[in-house]
Amino acid sequence: MEALIPVINKLQDVFNTVGADIIQLPQIAVVGTQSSGKSSVLESLVGRDLLPRGTGIITRRPLILQLVNVDAEDRRKTGEENGVDGEEWGKFLHTKNKIYTDFDEIMQEIENETERISGNNKGISDEPIHLKIFSPHVVNLTLVDLPGITKVPVGDQPKDIELQIRELILKYISNPNSIILAVTAANTDMATSEALKVAREVDPDGRRTLAVVTKLDLMDAGTDAMDVLMGRVIPVKLGLIGVVNRSQLDINTKKSVQDAIRDEHAFLQKKYPSLANRNGTKYLARTLNRLLMHHIRDCLPELKTRINVLAAQYQSLLSSYGEPVEDKSATLLQLITKFATEYCNTIEGTAKYIETAELCGGARICYIFHETFGRTLESVDPLGGLTTIDVLTAIRNATGPRPALFVPEVSFELLVKRQVKRLEEPSLRCVELVHEEMQRIIQHCSNYSTQELLRFPKLHDAIVEVVTSLLRKRLPVTNEMVHNLVAIELAYINTKHPDFADACGLMNNNIEEQRRNRMREMPSAVPRDKSLRGPGGQSVSPTEQLPAEGDGPKMAGGAQGEQEGGTGTWRGMLKKGEDGQGDDRTKLQSSIQASPQIGHAVNLLDVPVPVARKLSAREQRDCEVIERLIKSYFLIVRKNIQDSVPKAVMHFLVNHVKDSLQSELVGQLYKPAVLDDLLTESEDMAQRRNEAADMLKALQKASQVIAEIRETHLW
């Protein structure tokens, strides 16, 4: 299992080459407050002084430190290949293949690289520094040194420096594949440890947290860390290890790490003899190595799955970017054909990419025809905008100067045309909605079906322009046809239509039934023969008296009485008072008294405006007849329009565009003069293609590395 950590190092190297952190590899994140001894712990693990020292915040960028144990053969090969003279050396990712054998130079390079990105104002950056240390004295580990937790900005630090550091720490320790190394000084209260507090936020069970207590030799006289080291104060599942750091005096006097480790061992044997073998830097290194190996073993299956999924995604992404164009004519024709095919397939419902969030293409057009347009027509009231006074006025205007015995047919045609005309606006709106959907299909094909077009923005814009122009040309033609469909219905009112004839027959039956009911309701006290007598004792037939009025018993005088005294004629209006209704006569006399004085001219062009009044029985009957006829005929026309408009839209707009789209695109775009311009890739497409190819190679290589682990039974 010792070989698992070098495998992770290889994976880290693979992803470092593409500068990606999409894979969260197992590593150890070191967390602690400023001056808690984090850097000293790391240097103890390395065995050399390599980290910058000073007061305040020193670590201002994450330092990903990979420790690689090398044997004599590896040292010999590296020395021959790179001219390295020494058993320990280091390499930075940002300096490529440059090898550092002087650890003072490594320290200086860390300072320079930190200031290059973070500046010299004590600000921080989340861009990591990658350092790899090769040595026979280290164990295989991958550690991340993070900036120390601080509370108060110092100098010209940003005001939110605490929040910035906290977010940076959480970014690394939130990785479920990481082990949290929480560093706390022994001369502080463990219950107030900021490192343990932030670790518990992402690891409440402590399953991947290891606590390190530093500065055991600096505790107050008379106190010790026995309870802390035994886990009685703060229990941590992965354990708690105490270490002794070098003091600032030791660092100033150049005390070596090896000498410090020997002094640490002596201190533990003296102060904590029963715990000496479970504390100290060497025990910490072995523990971290063991924990990391087991952690890697547990993470590898999920890591393998993640790598395979990403490889498939980048393969698909690379395919969408396409290969560099060699035969431009063939490529252009292929893209045009594919777009036209996808456009038509979207209308037919056979597209490769089916939209699940909303209706689109042919399905939406069907919805417009049968739901939107259908419901709109059904909501149009056959008598909407038509009052009884309008109907009565139309009837009277159609009779001319002569009183009518029957309802004039001209009034019916006049009114029904007015109502049928109202169907034109929703019909034209239906055309507009279908046109908008045909326009939306262009964007749908660009986004989901033909992503290759995104490589060539000029070609994409040109295709959109051609299709939009074709739709724009077909719109007035379709509107004209729909307008004609309504005009056809207005041109000839077919009163012999079978459905209309049936409705008229049914209505006549209803009228006849109403007449019979009224005959039965006549007062029995009036002899039927007397009720049928006209003035002077002349006999009047029932046909002359009742059907002509559509009314119950009426005044003596029969038809003549209706002509002279009925409220439906002008003569009846003037002589209405003669039949005992003195109110109207009084009103008439008042109006005469209010008329201009004798000798003044009367303006006969003054026509009384119709006012709301109670209709006579005949007027009411005539209006009801006309309204029923209008409603019956309107429903027939509406049914025709509801059927013919979708057919016209499909023929003149949808099907025409489908049939002519390919030829229109080829005719407009397949020209040698514009070939090179149309197939010009976007500026960043080549760069994105290269990045995707590099990432795919890295993922494939990582997959091979994990496959080798399985073959060697390392997990």
Side-chain angles (χ1 to χ4, degrees), residues 536-547:
Q538 295 180 357
S539 176
V540 180
S541 67
T543 305
E544 290 176 306
Q545 180 175 349
L546 292 175

Side-chain angles (χ1 to χ4, degrees), residues 339-521:
F339 179 88
T341 302
E342 291 295 336
Y343 190 92
C344 296
N345 288 344
T346 303
I347 296 176
E348 295 296 331
T350 58
K352 181 179 179 181
Y353 297 92
I354 300 297
E355 180 66 57
T356 58
E358 61 177 352
L359 293 177
C360 72
R364 191 175 185 88
I365 293 174
C366 179
Y367 182 86
I368 292 171
F369 286 156
H370 302 293
E371 297 293 334
T372 306
F373 179 58
R375 286 200 305 266
T376 302
L377 288 187
E378 290 173 1
S379 67
V380 178
D381 183 7
L383 301 175
L386 198 63
T387 65
T388 305
I389 294 299
D390 295 337
V391 177
L392 182 60
T393 303
I395 294 174
R396 295 175 66 180
N397 285 336
T399 61
R402 296 170 301 281
L405 295 176
F406 305 101
V407 179
E409 186 175 338
V410 176
S411 62
F412 163 71
E413 289 198 9
L414 173 67
L415 293 172
V416 81
K417 286 182 179 181
R418 170 179 166 181
Q419 297 305 101
V420 169
K421 183 70 174 176
R422 298 169 60 218
L423 297 175
E424 183 174 9
E425 182 180 353
S427 301
L428 294 176
R429 177 58 180 160
C430 176
V431 178
E432 183 181 352
L433 290 175
V434 174
H435 176 268
E436 290 175 359
E437 179 57 28
M438 299 282 283
Q439 193 75 31
R440 287 178 69 246
I441 296 176
I442 304 175
Q443 190 64 33
H444 173 81
C445 293
S446 301
N447 292 341
Y448 299 100
S449 305
T450 52
Q451 293 187 2
E452 294 91 338
L453 285 178
L454 300 179
R455 294 177 57 192
F456 312 108
K458 293 185 178 180
L459 175 60
H460 175 267
D461 294 343
I463 289 178
V464 171
E465 179 60 31
V466 171
V467 181
T468 302
S469 176
L470 178 60
L471 291 171
R472 194 184 304 119
K473 287 190 294 185
R474 297 307 302 174
L475 184 60
V477 177
T478 310
N479 282 336
E480 181 65 22
M481 182 59 198
V482 171
H483 174 77
N484 287 337
L485 289 176
V486 179
I488 288 169
E489 297 290 347
L490 296 173
Y492 181 66
I493 304 301
N494 182 17
T495 56
K496 292 296 184 181
H497 192 284
D499 295 340
F500 187 69
D502 293 344
C504 290
L506 180 61
M507 184 177 63
N508 290 334
N509 292 337
N510 292 337
I511 294 175
E512 180 65 21
E513 181 66 24
Q514 293 175 7
R515 185 189 69 80
R516 290 171 182 167
N517 293 337
R518 286 194 294 269
M519 290 284 292
R520 295 192 203 100
E521 294 171 359

Side-chain angles (χ1 to χ4, degrees), residues 534-604:
Q538 295 180 357
S539 176
V540 180
S541 67
T543 305
E544 290 176 306
Q545 180 175 349
L546 292 175
E549 302 305 321
D551 199 346
K554 60 182 181 180
M555 302 179 302
Q560 182 179 357
E562 170 65 27
Q563 292 292 330
E564 295 181 357
T567 58
T569 62
W570 65 274
R571 186 188 297 272
M573 293 179 186
L574 295 177
K575 300 182 67 179
K576 189 174 182 181
E578 296 177 1
D579 297 322
Q581 300 179 7
D583 293 341
D584 287 347
R585 174 168 301 203
T586 303
K587 294 179 182 178
L588 181 61
Q589 291 176 351
S590 300
S591 63
I592 293 174
Q593 294 174 0
S595 61
Q597 298 178 0
I598 298 175
H600 287 250
V602 178
N603 187 0
L604 296 179

Side-chain angles (χ1 to χ4, degrees), residues 11-24:
L11 293 178
Q12 186 72 58
D13 293 342
V14 167
F15 293 116
N16 285 343
T17 58
V18 293
D21 56 356
I22 59 173
I23 296 291
Q24 295 180 319

Side-chain angles (χ1 to χ4, degrees), residues 49 63 108 167 216 258 294 311 323 325 367 449 622:
D49 293 327
L63 174 65
Q108 187 61 46
E167 290 178 350
L216 290 176
Q258 289 76 15
H294 285 86
E323 297 294 331
V325 179
Y367 182 86
S449 305
D622 292 348

